[in-house]
Amino acid sequence: MPRHGEGFVDAVLAVVADIPPGSVMTYGDVAATLGSRGARAVGQVMARYGGEVPWWRVVRAGGRPPAGHADAAREHYVAEGVPIRPVDDEDGYRIDLAACRWRG
């Protein structure tokens, strides 16, 4: 398993930068791509350093948008044609992972 240091940060950001428009990966998907089980570590990288990459393309399990960013992320999903469906919770929607999950 890789160390979660500077190399891990760069690797996470590289994976996220490669997710094509209209597709998403979960935090766990990004971790698995890197040979890690550190979904939370991916989340920490995205929270600290993710502003320069398409952060909205990394979602929580079950297709939930990034915590605290549902409104901003939704604008990107609509612009990129990411399939979303309404739900009755604080986020207001879920991404259809079956339709747009990127496997790298």
Side-chain angles (χ1 to χ4, degrees):
M1 184 177 301
R3 274 188 40 205
H4 293 179
E6 188 175 309
F8 185 75
V9 170
D10 291 341
V12 167
L13 297 177
V15 169
V16 174
D18 285 345
I19 303 170
S23 298
V24 300
M25 293 178 89
T26 66
Y27 293 98
D29 292 340
V30 173
T33 298
L34 299 174
S36 171
R37 293 186 354 208
R40 288 187 176 163
V42 170
Q44 290 297 315
V45 169
M46 293 304 296
R48 291 187 179 119
Y49 309 105
E52 299 298 315
V53 295
W55 55 266
W56 60 92
R57 296 184 190 149
V58 184
V59 301
R60 293 180 283 169
R64 296 183 70 194
H69 299 285
D71 291 339
R74 176 181 233 149
E75 294 177 24
H76 292 286
Y77 302 140
V78 170
E80 293 184 3
V82 172
I84 59 176
R85 61 180 167 78
V87 296
D88 189 22
D89 69 8
E90 69 276 2
D91 297 325
Y93 66 93
R94 292 286 181 279
I95 291 123
D96 182 353
L97 288 175
C100 64
R101 189 177 222 158
W102 178 249
R103 298 293 181 183

